[in-house]
Amino acid sequence: MNERDNSITTRDLCLWYGKFQALINVTINIRHGLITSLIGPSGCGKTTLLRCFNRINERYGYVTTTGEIKLLNKNIYDPDVSLIELRKSVGMVFQRPNPLPISVYENVVFGLRIHSDRKPARSELDDAVEKALTEVGLWNDLRDRLDTKATNLQLEQQQKLCIARLLPLKPEIILMDEPCSALDVEATRAIEELMLSLKGRYSIVIVTHNMAQARRASDECIFMLLGEIIEHARTADLFLNPKNPKTAEYIEGRYG
Amino acid sequence: MISRRRRYEILSERSIETLIYLCGISAIIFVFGICFFVFREGLPLVFKEDTNFSLGKFFFSTEWFPTSMANKRYGALALIVGTLTVTILAMVIAVPFALGATVFLSEFCGGKFRETLKIVIELLAAIPSIVWGFIGLTVINPLIIQVFHVPVGLNALNGAVILALMAMPIMVSIGEDALKAVPDSYREAALALGATRWQMVFRVLLPAAKNGLLAAVLLGVGRAVGETMGVLMATGHAVNIPFFRDDGSFNWGWMFESVRTLTATIAAELGETSQGSDHYRVLFLIGVLLLSITFVINLTADLVVKGIRKQK
């Protein structure tokens, strides 16, 4: 496989919360332009792993990380890496929709505002809002309500907005941490469709508890257990012919 | 088989409930009692005939000569202006510091250092106001004289500095609660979009917590308006509107003028009056005025805080 096909690679990644080791020698290659899902029972470290990729784990002082994470062939723990630039190119969607308590418009342009040195022109912002909202399918619903406070939208719209606000920054990778767990069936379907439509332009890594979702919406699957990677394969292979007996037991629902 | 409760069990339960109920409403009783008492002592003067007092003069005259033999005058305007001047100046000094301290405490420092800092700030709140008065007299007074080359250091600025220090702890602790109440998910959202911590604070946290922060400032104002002993000793205690010179021109050095506040007037003069006299009653009327001011401020702060809860 060509080096350039990988958007995220980790080598011997270990992570401790205080004395508790949450990730043990994680070595993976996540391929560019695909949707990769991280599955595994609660507490297996999938969210922790995801939160390593934009280094947002470091908010908590008691986290120690060793090993190597390369995003687009750049080690993100190099001292010359700017956290701001890293997070600009790696967007994140959270478990509970967390639009900021400002207008829809301001949510979408938040990234542009904080990342541009000069004050962005109004027309530039307007274009970005229309483009991003169109891409996530909110433009028709919200075009007349751009001044509404984003926290007053329906949950589904909020989550779509949370995806939309990443797009003006042109991220390479979008990380999603159980993006549908707060949503109902219809909204879940909508978000999954959105993910599929974004695929190709962005590499998407999604943590999910919902195995059916992993199966429906992802190209590759990574199965984790107790901080270790057990199996990484194409989704169809992993669900039909799991190589590791632990994977087989999990997807059959014996634990988790 | 369910055994019946014995009679004395039911009785003791009831009596305890009644006791707790009384404790609960005692606060209300005391507040009403105090209001009633202050109004009862002050209000008769408003309706009294054959007196030099009139409400118009009380609010709009600067002539405060309550002990004059020939012509007693009860104009509290200078005192009201004195209180406002010192309070507003104090807030101008305190709010930036308190805001900085709040943001630092809640967002930029962690662990043991934060805990220590919080304890120290609370200690600041525990210093008796008379001690602040000493500090005003012996530390800030010479400091102001030296730094600004003015003849007297006991003035509006001195009182304001003292009040600022006294009002800061309550503003910091309420303000910190307000920032704590901002959901962590907002912080993560901003950080994950690549915001620096400053951008997160300015663009997300402060707007999200603005109601709580406003309430914190209002409570600080309430504290400052009602403060007595410290300002009595620090402001120079001269009945004086600091903004105008004798020739009527604007006095740019107003913060170096001595002033007197409403509270200080009551504290200094009440002991000298005979009960029931006009002077005695007018001081209680000042008490009514103070009570009304702090009541309005606290009510506003409360409504502002309630506003936050509703939003959620």
Side-chain angles (χ1 to χ4, degrees):
Chain A
M1 194 162 36
N2 191 331
E3 266 267 296
R4 298 186 58 184
D5 289 342
N6 295 326
S7 62
I8 305 175
T9 57
T10 71
R11 228 181 28 234
D12 295 327
L13 176 67
C14 295
L15 181 143
W16 289 263
Y17 290 117
K19 291 213 168 97
F20 173 75
Q21 187 167 9
L23 294 178
I24 304 161
N25 296 325
V26 169
T27 301
I28 48 168
N29 298 304
I30 291 175
R31 290 180 53 204
H32 185 71
L34 298 185
I35 301 178
T36 306
S37 53
L38 294 172
I39 59 171
S42 298
C44 70
K46 29 187 212 308
T47 296
T48 301
L49 179 59
L50 192 76
R51 287 166 69 92
C52 284
F53 297 151
N54 64 353
R55 290 180 58 181
I56 202 156
N57 268 337
E58 291 167 29
R59 285 191 65 206
Y60 311 109
Y62 54 91
V63 172
T64 25
T65 320
T66 63
E68 185 186 86
I69 305 178
K70 274 186 170 176
L71 259 64
L72 307 160
N73 295 319
K74 171 83 185 152
N75 186 357
I76 62 171
Y77 283 95
D78 277 351
D80 64 334
V81 163
S82 142
L83 260 189
I84 293 162
E85 289 302 314
L86 168 69
R87 288 174 181 165
K88 193 175 152 189
S89 53
V90 183
M92 188 167 219
V93 180
F94 294 83
Q95 192 167 358
R96 281 206 64 82
N98 60 348
L100 296 168
I102 45 183
S103 69
V104 170
Y105 187 96
E106 284 300 320
N107 260 282
V108 180
V109 300
F110 186 85
L112 288 179
R113 282 201 199 279
I114 59 176
H115 286 295
S116 39
D117 304 324
R118 57 188 177 84
K119 209 168 152 43
R122 182 77 192 185
S123 61
E124 200 181 320
L125 297 179
D126 287 346
D127 289 347
V129 170
E130 178 170 354
K131 194 154 167 260
L133 289 183
T134 309
E135 215 166 333
V136 299
L138 280 179
W139 179 246
N140 285 333
D141 293 340
L142 296 184
R143 61 193 303 172
D144 302 321
R145 292 199 286 144
L146 294 176
D147 293 331
T148 324
K149 209 171 171 194
T151 40
N152 294 339
L153 300 176
Q154 298 158 11
L155 277 182
E156 176 190 339
Q157 291 177 323
Q158 288 189 18
Q159 196 62 303
K160 283 179 172 174
L161 180 64
C162 289
I163 298 172
R165 72 178 170 197
L166 308 175
L167 305 181
L169 295 177
K170 306 196 168 51
E172 307 279 346
I173 298 163
I174 296 179
L175 308 172
M176 297 185 170
D177 185 4
E178 300 192 35
C180 301
S181 67
L183 305 180
D184 63 21
V185 183
E186 280 305 311
T188 302
R189 198 210 317 268
I191 298 287
E192 283 173 14
E193 279 168 9
L194 176 56
M195 282 164 51
L196 291 172
S197 75
L198 295 174
K199 173 178 130 178
R201 279 170 292 164
Y202 311 97
S203 310
I204 297 178
V205 185
I206 171 174
V207 165
T208 178
H209 255 111
N210 180 338
M211 264 186 290
Q213 179 173 59
R215 208 165 169 170
R216 278 195 303 267
S218 65
D219 302 301
E220 295 201 343
C221 259
I222 296 173
F223 173 62
M224 291 181 72
L225 193 61
L226 298 171
E228 289 180 283
I229 302 290
I230 304 295
E231 192 164 346
H232 178 183
R234 285 180 48 217
T235 302
D237 294 341
L238 188 122
F239 278 96
L240 292 175
N241 308 305
K243 297 209 173 55
N244 193 305
K246 287 179 193 160
T247 317
E249 283 178 23
Y250 178 71
I251 59 180
E252 280 163 23
R254 301 238 190 104
Y255 57 84
Chain B
M1 181 73 188
I2 300 166
S3 64
R4 255 199 224 154
R5 297 176 73 192
R6 281 192 225 127
R7 197 181 181 79
Y8 85 89
E9 279 181 11
I10 297 172
L11 264 180
S12 65
E13 187 93 348
R14 282 230 182 105
S15 54
I16 286 173
E17 270 176 27
T18 319
L19 197 67
I20 289 176
Y21 174 75
L22 284 179
C23 295
I25 62 166
S26 64
I28 299 178
I29 294 171
F30 286 130
V31 167
F32 275 105
I34 289 168
C35 282
F36 172 76
F37 176 73
V38 176
F39 275 89
R40 195 195 63 183
E41 296 298 304
L43 279 189
L45 188 61
V46 178
F47 304 108
K48 191 177 163 188
E49 289 164 18
D50 75 337
T51 167
N52 295 334
F53 175 86
S54 83
L55 266 187
K57 279 190 189 152
F58 180 70
F59 281 113
F60 297 110
S61 159
T62 58
E63 306 214 327
W64 179 257
F65 297 108
T67 50
S68 157
M69 280 304 187
N71 183 13
K72 295 184 179 15
R73 277 153 291 171
Y74 304 104
L77 181 63
L79 312 177
I80 298 172
V81 171
T83 287
L84 290 182
T85 310
V86 178
T87 305
I88 291 171
L89 189 56
M91 288 303 119
V92 170
I93 299 170
V95 168
F97 272 102
L99 197 63
T102 307
V103 169
F104 178 71
L105 258 183
S106 127
E107 305 301 323
F108 287 86
C109 81
K112 282 222 167 107
F113 185 53
R114 165 200 257 148
E115 292 311 312
T116 322
L117 208 57
K118 276 174 85 167
I119 291 171
V120 174
I121 288 178
E122 269 153 36
L123 269 181
L124 206 59
I127 296 176
S129 63
I130 192 85
V131 174
W132 283 118
F134 283 141
I135 294 173
L137 275 178
T138 57
V139 180
I140 302 179
N141 178 23
L143 204 65
I144 289 178
I145 294 176
Q146 265 179 27
V147 174
F148 297 104
H149 305 291
V150 287
V152 193
L154 296 178
N155 49 29
L157 179 64
N158 193 335
V161 169
I162 298 253
L163 275 190
L165 286 167
M166 294 179 80
M168 238 186 70
I170 189 171
M171 301 204 307
V172 171
S173 76
I174 307 269
E176 203 213 345
D177 288 347
L179 283 186
K180 279 271 128 60
V182 176
D184 210 34
S185 65
Y186 292 171
R187 293 184 181 84
E188 293 208 320
L191 291 178
L193 280 166
T196 62
R197 284 215 270 182
W198 276 117
Q199 286 171 328
M200 175 187 82
V201 167
F202 276 108
R203 290 178 175 267
V204 180
L205 293 185
L206 294 187
K210 64 174 186 297
N211 281 5
L213 295 172
L214 187 63
V217 171
L218 284 176
L219 287 173
V221 173
R223 173 93 173 81
V225 169
E227 174 46 38
T228 307
M229 225 49 225
V231 287
L232 172 63
M233 293 166 78
T235 54
H237 210 57
V239 181
N240 174 27
I241 290 192
F243 299 103
F244 303 104
R245 296 215 188 83
D246 290 338
D247 58 5
S249 61
F250 188 78
N251 181 4
W252 292 103
W254 56 271
M255 62 172 82
F256 304 111
E257 294 288 324
S258 292
V259 294
R260 194 202 274 201
T261 63
L262 294 166
T263 48
T265 307
I266 301 179
E269 295 180 6
L270 191 60
E272 310 292 323
T273 64
S274 62
Q275 195 172 355
S277 66
D278 284 0
H279 188 193
Y280 171 88
R281 296 215 186 280
V282 84
L283 291 179
F284 270 90
L285 220 51
I286 291 179
V288 171
L289 184 63
L290 278 171
L291 208 61
S292 318
I293 295 174
T294 45
F295 176 74
V296 168
I297 291 171
N298 274 304
L299 195 70
T300 318
D302 215 45
L303 290 178
V304 168
V305 171
K306 288 264 163 58
I308 310 174
R309 291 209 192 108
K310 251 188 207 155
Q311 274 175 22
K312 274 183 197 156

